[in-house]
Amino acid sequence: MKPENVFRKIALICLVGALGVLMALAPVLAQQAADPLPSWKEGPAKQAIIRFVRLTTDQASPKFVPPEARVATFDQDGTLWVEHPMFTQMIYCLERVPAVVAKRPELKNVEPFKTVLSGNREAMAKLSMQDFEKVLAATLTGMTVGEFRAEVKKWLETARDPRWHRPYTELVYQPMLEVLKYLRANGYKTYIVTGGGQDFVRVYAEKVYGIPPEQVVGTASATKYGYDQSGRPILTKEPKLLLNDNDAGKPEGIHLIIGRRPDAAFGNSTGDRQMLEYTGAGNGARLMMLVLHDDGKREYAYGPAQGLPNTKVGTFTQALYDEAKKRGWVIISMKKDWKKIFAWE
Amino acid sequence: MKPENVFRKIALICLVGALGVLMALAPVLAQQAADPLPSWKEGPAKQAIIRFVRLTTDQASPKFVPPEARVATFDQDGTLWVEHPMFTQMIYCLERVPAVVAKRPELKNVEPFKTVLSGNREAMAKLSMQDFEKVLAATLTGMTVGEFRAEVKKWLETARDPRWHRPYTELVYQPMLEVLKYLRANGYKTYIVTGGGQDFVRVYAEKVYGIPPEQVVGTASATKYGYDQSGRPILTKEPKLLLNDNDAGKPEGIHLIIGRRPDAAFGNSTGDRQMLEYTGAGNGARLMMLVLHDDGKREYAYGPAQGLPNTKVGTFTQALYDEAKKRGWVIISMKKDWKKIFAWE
């Protein structure tokens, strides 16, 4: 081959190679240019999220946060998924009662189990907090962590919510899934910090939210190490509260499990106030957001902030609303800020 | 320019580019081929580590573990750094007593503070466990987590160990640093699971071991959320034990903080037995290792397994040694398996 032909061949190979690289990069480049929050309407809430990410991830920004220190925490019930008319874990506990009583027949005629077994919703609504705690203890403790995981997994596969008749794990807010993904794509570690049970949420958090078990902070009962009949090590869930991950328990749980102050925190009720305060007290850029359930048509409307109906589940008081305004926390209006609420709409 | 010259030019640019890529890759390729555990002598311990990593990270292996599920846990005292003649945190607590008494003069003539202040080592050695607990409570709790972090950081900068006259954070085992690095390079998340204080270890774990705060499981006191005089949120360390991360507390702490069973676990004393059992009870490839302190010349010799001298700090009983042999746990002999013990040797 003549030298010219050799060069011609090398040049051709190189050009084809370069074209290949460009074609391989095209979807990546296209994705980067696309809107990372397509279910959010343009407005102050969406702007606040995007501005925060730019401020903390641009190396030239004075508020740049090194990737290993980027932490964002999310309440779950009412912030990532539906919490009305009742917390999903509470529904699980009530629906588990027949199985528990079948194994422990002595509970059959004992309150509150008798009332729960009756199925009388009016009577159940009158049960006290102490009654509910007995139901929680009986259905969330006394088994190994493996048995509990298997029971919850099985229940989630068949249980359907009464309004949309869908699996509970489909009642997640699409705009919030986009925020989780957007933050992770920008180097943030995303954590759930929930008043719900840590072990309950761990069963589905990886699949539903892309959040692994080690990034779920939640209300936790103690476990007890021991051995089963064949001598195999087991961890049994004990009826002893280790961490009540509500209110002040949220920053306390964050310190225990994460050991860093979050840069961003998302909640929707008075139980999230301390987490947002604690997040806001850090240095550098901060993002604190509260979901306001003001869309009774597409989801539920409750507050009682801003004249919304009162509720026992996920209370968002006017005092919290006022504190948010005072401290520069951003309110997310489900009605005004979200184009769609669920992925399947 | 003639077409031949154009092609010649493109070919030249491409060849120079390719050469650049190769040169950039060279150190990476060289590193991959190099021994990942250079401070380890060839032998069963080193082989066990390398075999485990190959088995769990080779996609073709039936024991392949997906990267997100790869977890390795390490005891700290006696496994990653020196624990003799006394746990470093205990030295910190004893050396903090004068500062605590200066702030709380009412303790000056109260035991055990009086004895500790006297500096009489013989009298101090006779203090009871309850006495030591009073010292721990006074020096590890009652301040904000930020104040505690600052105090420990300051102490570590100036404190020197009595034998080598070096900062305590230099008394880490070079062969174990290589294991941490090797596992992380193969997608493992490395955790410390220590009987020592979680907040104490978090102060230096990132710098010394490359382990971030959220991957430190340790003995933890409760914290209490509140506000300082200017209304700023604070977390105060309370004298209330939340997690005793020793013995059975290690698998319990692992479940709370990690929520996954480790694939590999490293320890050196009876306090690590349950962590190794729990790790061993999982499916797939497992790696359980115990460091035996049998090198009194280069470090310390204690057991009392294998006729080594007895000790109160980091006891490795003959029963633990026998269980290790029975269950296929691998003993690491500091004397026979490690070429060097410290990086500065």
Side-chain angles (χ1 to χ4, degrees):
Chain A
M1 215 187 273
K2 280 186 195 170
E4 291 79 40
N5 288 346
V6 173
F7 287 128
R8 192 173 296 194
K9 204 153 193 175
I10 291 173
L12 198 68
I13 290 166
C14 288
L15 284 173
V16 168
L19 198 68
V21 169
L22 275 177
M23 282 173 68
L25 281 176
V28 178
L29 296 170
Q31 204 179 2
Q32 279 188 341
D35 182 354
L37 302 171
S39 300
W40 290 71
K41 291 186 196 164
E42 297 307 321
K46 181 172 180 171
Q47 274 168 20
I49 301 167
I50 291 174
R51 186 169 170 273
F52 168 79
V53 167
R54 284 201 189 133
L55 267 177
T56 57
T57 60
D58 176 0
Q59 289 236 9
S61 160
K63 297 191 171 176
F64 175 77
V65 179
E68 68 276 12
R70 291 177 197 161
V71 170
T73 55
F74 292 80
D75 167 58
Q76 188 199 216
D77 293 305
T79 299
L80 294 179
W81 78 350
V82 174
E83 64 183 350
H84 265 231
M86 201 190 272
F87 296 125
T88 302
Q89 182 180 247
M90 185 57 89
I91 300 169
Y92 168 78
C93 291
L94 292 172
E95 295 192 0
R96 275 296 297 170
V97 166
V100 167
V101 172
K103 271 195 180 174
R104 297 169 58 191
E106 71 274 16
L107 296 176
K108 200 176 168 180
N109 291 309
V110 176
E111 288 300 354
F113 303 97
K114 196 178 163 186
T115 297
V116 174
L117 284 171
S118 76
N120 181 338
R121 294 205 166 243
E122 212 168 306
M124 277 160 71
K126 282 180 192 157
L127 291 174
S128 70
M129 192 48 81
Q130 278 165 318
D131 285 329
F132 274 116
E133 276 169 15
K134 281 181 194 166
V135 173
L136 294 181
T139 53
L140 300 177
T141 68
M143 71 291 285
T144 69
V145 297
E147 285 162 358
F148 177 71
R149 194 185 303 126
E151 282 162 11
V152 175
K153 197 165 177 281
K154 198 174 140 195
W155 180 79
L156 286 171
E157 281 163 11
T158 53
R160 297 293 179 267
D161 86 281
R163 177 164 164 191
W164 294 282
H165 311 291
R166 287 182 173 269
Y168 288 96
T169 49
E170 288 184 13
L171 305 190
V172 296
Y173 306 136
Q174 175 60 23
M176 294 307 287
L177 291 180
E178 291 167 7
V179 174
L180 287 169
K181 211 174 155 185
Y182 176 50
L183 286 171
R184 287 198 292 264
N186 283 281
Y188 275 89
K189 263 196 180 172
T190 54
Y191 286 84
I192 288 174
V193 178
T194 175
Q198 182 187 39
D199 283 342
F200 186 83
V201 178
R202 277 173 168 171
V203 177
Y204 55 86
E206 191 146 30
K207 200 176 163 187
V208 173
Y209 305 117
I211 294 180
E214 63 270 26
Q215 283 163 231
V216 176
V217 183
T219 295
S221 64
T223 58
K224 189 176 175 154
Y225 181 81
Y227 306 88
D228 67 11
Q229 288 178 328
S230 65
R232 195 184 149 96
I234 48 170
L235 284 171
T236 306
K237 288 171 71 66
E238 298 278 291
K240 184 191 153 197
L241 188 67
L242 203 62
L243 176 67
N244 180 3
D245 200 46
N246 282 301
D247 307 303
K250 292 210 173 196
E252 291 162 8
I254 287 170
H255 179 71
L256 178 69
I257 312 267
I258 313 179
R260 301 184 192 262
R261 192 193 300 267
D263 305 287
F266 298 76
N268 79 298
S269 77
T270 49
D272 301 312
R273 183 170 66 80
Q274 289 88 341
M275 175 169 74
L276 268 65
E277 283 177 357
Y278 179 64
T279 302
N283 299 320
R286 308 272 107 197
L287 179 65
M288 284 70 65
M289 302 190 86
L290 285 169
V291 176
L292 184 68
H293 292 260
D294 57 359
D295 194 332
K297 209 171 169 186
R298 294 189 298 171
E299 204 243 9
Y300 293 96
Y302 52 97
Q306 301 301 92
L308 289 162
N310 208 344
T311 179
K312 278 185 185 174
V313 176
T315 309
F316 190 141
T317 60
Q318 188 59 39
L320 178 65
Y321 191 92
D322 294 340
E323 183 179 356
K325 289 287 169 191
K326 188 182 132 202
R327 295 186 186 268
W329 302 349
V330 183
I331 305 290
I332 300 168
S333 159
M334 292 181 83
K335 197 171 176 177
K336 294 179 206 150
D337 288 315
W338 290 356
K339 283 186 203 165
K340 57 155 60 175
I341 297 200
F342 303 110
W344 40 264
E345 257 170 36
Chain B
M1 216 186 275
K2 281 187 193 170
E4 290 80 39
N5 289 345
V6 172
F7 286 129
R8 195 173 293 197
K9 204 154 193 173
I10 291 174
L12 199 68
I13 290 165
C14 287
L15 283 172
V16 168
L19 198 68
V21 169
L22 274 176
M23 281 172 69
L25 280 175
V28 178
L29 296 170
Q31 204 179 4
Q32 280 189 340
D35 182 353
L37 302 172
S39 299
W40 291 71
K41 291 187 196 162
E42 298 306 321
K46 181 172 180 173
Q47 275 168 20
I49 300 166
I50 291 175
R51 186 170 170 272
F52 167 80
V53 168
R54 284 202 187 132
L55 268 176
T56 56
T57 60
D58 176 1
Q59 290 236 8
S61 159
K63 297 188 170 176
F64 176 77
V65 178
E68 68 275 13
R70 292 178 199 161
V71 170
T73 55
F74 293 79
D75 167 58
Q76 188 198 215
D77 293 307
T79 299
L80 295 179
W81 78 352
V82 173
E83 64 184 349
H84 265 231
M86 202 191 270
F87 296 125
T88 302
Q89 184 181 248
M90 184 58 88
I91 300 168
Y92 168 79
C93 291
L94 292 172
E95 295 192 359
R96 276 296 297 170
V97 166
V100 168
V101 172
K103 271 196 182 174
R104 295 168 61 191
E106 72 275 14
L107 295 177
K108 201 177 168 181
N109 291 309
V110 176
E111 289 298 353
F113 303 97
K114 196 178 163 186
T115 297
V116 174
L117 285 171
S118 75
N120 181 338
R121 295 208 164 238
E122 212 170 306
M124 277 162 73
K126 282 181 193 157
L127 292 174
S128 69
M129 192 47 81
Q130 278 165 318
D131 285 328
F132 274 115
E133 277 168 14
K134 282 180 193 164
V135 174
L136 295 181
T139 53
L140 300 177
T141 67
M143 71 291 286
T144 70
V145 298
E147 285 162 357
F148 177 71
R149 195 186 301 124
E151 283 162 10
V152 175
K153 198 166 175 283
K154 198 173 140 196
W155 180 80
L156 286 171
E157 281 163 12
T158 54
R160 296 294 179 266
D161 87 282
R163 179 164 163 189
W164 294 282
H165 311 289
R166 287 182 173 269
Y168 288 97
T169 48
E170 288 185 11
L171 304 191
V172 297
Y173 306 135
Q174 176 60 23
M176 295 306 287
L177 291 180
E178 292 167 6
V179 174
L180 287 169
K181 211 173 156 189
Y182 177 49
L183 286 171
R184 288 198 292 263
N186 282 281
Y188 275 88
K189 262 195 181 172
T190 54
Y191 285 85
I192 288 174
V193 178
T194 175
Q198 182 187 39
D199 283 343
F200 185 83
V201 178
R202 277 172 169 170
V203 177
Y204 56 86
E206 192 147 29
K207 199 174 165 191
V208 174
Y209 304 117
I211 294 180
E214 63 270 28
Q215 284 163 229
V216 176
V217 184
T219 295
S221 64
T223 57
K224 189 175 174 154
Y225 181 82
Y227 306 89
D228 68 11
Q229 287 177 330
S230 66
R232 193 183 150 94
I234 48 169
L235 284 171
T236 306
K237 288 170 72 66
E238 297 278 290
K240 184 190 154 198
L241 188 68
L242 203 62
L243 176 66
N244 180 2
D245 200 45
N246 282 300
D247 307 303
K250 291 212 173 193
E252 291 162 10
I254 287 170
H255 179 72
L256 178 69
I257 312 267
I258 314 179
R260 302 185 193 260
R261 191 194 300 266
D263 304 288
F266 299 76
N268 79 300
S269 77
T270 49
D272 302 312
R273 183 170 66 81
Q274 288 88 341
M275 175 169 75
L276 268 64
E277 283 177 357
Y278 179 65
T279 302
N283 299 319
R286 308 273 108 197
L287 179 66
M288 283 72 65
M289 302 190 87
L290 284 169
V291 175
L292 185 68
H293 292 259
D294 56 359
D295 194 331
K297 211 170 168 186
R298 294 189 298 171
E299 204 242 10
Y300 293 97
Y302 52 97
Q306 300 303 89
L308 289 162
N310 208 345
T311 179
K312 276 184 184 174
V313 176
T315 310
F316 190 141
T317 60
Q318 188 60 38
L320 178 64
Y321 191 92
D322 295 340
E323 183 178 356
K325 288 290 169 188
K326 190 181 131 203
R327 295 186 187 268
W329 301 350
V330 183
I331 305 289
I332 300 168
S333 159
M334 292 181 82
K335 196 171 178 177
K336 294 179 206 151
D337 288 315
W338 289 356
K339 283 187 204 165
K340 58 155 62 175
I341 297 200
F342 303 111
W344 39 263
E345 259 170 34

